[in-house]
Amino acid sequence: MPIVVDHAAARQRIADLAAGIVATEGVGALTMRRVAEASGASRSIVSTYFTGMHDLLLATFESAADRQAARFEAAVGRSARLEECLETLLPLDAGRLRDWRVIIAYLGMSVADPELAAIERRRIDGARRRVDALLVRDRGLPRGTAETRRDARTLVALVLGIAVDVAFEPGSVPTPMARRRLKDALRSFPAR
């Protein structure tokens, strides 16, 4: 009887192992051999799921970005307010910190790779659209105006800035500090 393998789950597991390597040691430490060793499989098995390093790196990034988007969408789905939705994007626990470190590493790679840059551009634009919708819902701002789009851009940039700062704090994740920064910024944020 043949062994049934869930290829999507195996690919995800390998991408998660790669994310751990990237988050702790950087993109330069990631090799197919290293991932194979971490997974307990051979390089040929890893190559079954990924066509090469670019494919593995892209899957690793997409996995981290998808988890971020899912946390945000779950908060929106339960009608969480703007602050709580934005908070889901911050590195407030070990898993989110790992995802942010992967995303930051990916941003560096995107500078020299137009395909990766286009993916990142779509991700940022999607975040802005979601925040724009929250500003309309929670703050009563008019939909589709230049001011609302500008405010959404500002909030996405604010969250990115806080996340990058927190991602490189030595020691544990400084959750209260990150939440306080977001709360302070939102308090001073104009409510048109």
Side-chain angles (χ1 to χ4, degrees):
M1 178 173 214
I3 297 173
V4 177
V5 176
D6 182 341
H7 291 282
R11 183 176 162 90
Q12 184 61 52
R13 182 175 152 308
I14 293 168
D16 287 344
L17 290 168
I21 293 168
V22 171
T24 58
E25 301 174 50
V27 174
L30 187 65
T31 65
M32 294 294 244
R33 176 177 303 211
R34 184 81 187 279
V35 173
E37 289 169 0
S39 70
S42 68
R43 282 178 50 198
S44 62
I45 296 294
V46 173
S47 296
T48 299
Y49 298 106
F50 299 96
T51 58
M53 279 302 295
H54 190 269
D55 185 29
L56 176 60
L57 286 165
L58 184 56
T60 301
F61 166 73
E62 287 177 331
S63 181
D66 288 349
R67 281 189 296 274
Q68 232 180 31
R71 284 189 295 271
F72 187 89
E73 291 304 324
V76 170
R78 63 178 184 274
S79 298
R81 304 304 290 168
L82 175 65
E83 182 178 339
E84 186 181 345
C85 291
L86 292 174
E87 225 178 70
T88 67
L89 300 174
L90 294 175
L92 300 179
D93 58 41
R96 293 190 226 180
L97 177 61
R98 184 184 82 150
D99 287 345
W100 265 108
R101 287 184 175 166
V102 168
I103 289 166
I104 292 166
Y106 178 85
L107 290 173
M109 293 171 34
S110 298
V111 170
D113 187 322
E115 179 188 2
L116 299 179
I119 292 167
E120 180 58 17
R121 174 84 272 136
R122 285 191 302 273
R123 189 177 88 81
I124 294 293
D125 289 345
R128 289 177 181 154
R129 281 191 302 278
R130 290 189 298 273
V131 171
D132 185 288
L134 284 173
L135 287 169
V136 169
R137 184 192 81 182
D138 289 2
R139 298 275 175 109
L141 299 184
R143 181 178 302 279
T145 66
E147 292 84 10
T148 304
R149 284 193 303 275
R150 184 191 64 229
D151 289 350
R153 286 180 82 95
T154 299
L155 287 174
V156 169
L158 170 75
V159 168
L160 178 60
I162 293 170
V164 169
D165 189 36
V166 169
F168 294 104
E169 275 293 317
S172 64
V173 180
T175 301
M177 179 226 10
R179 283 190 171 122
R180 186 172 48 256
R181 284 185 183 163
L182 179 60
K183 186 180 287 291
D184 289 348
L186 287 173
R187 193 174 12 259
S188 65
F189 200 73
R192 298 185 205 297

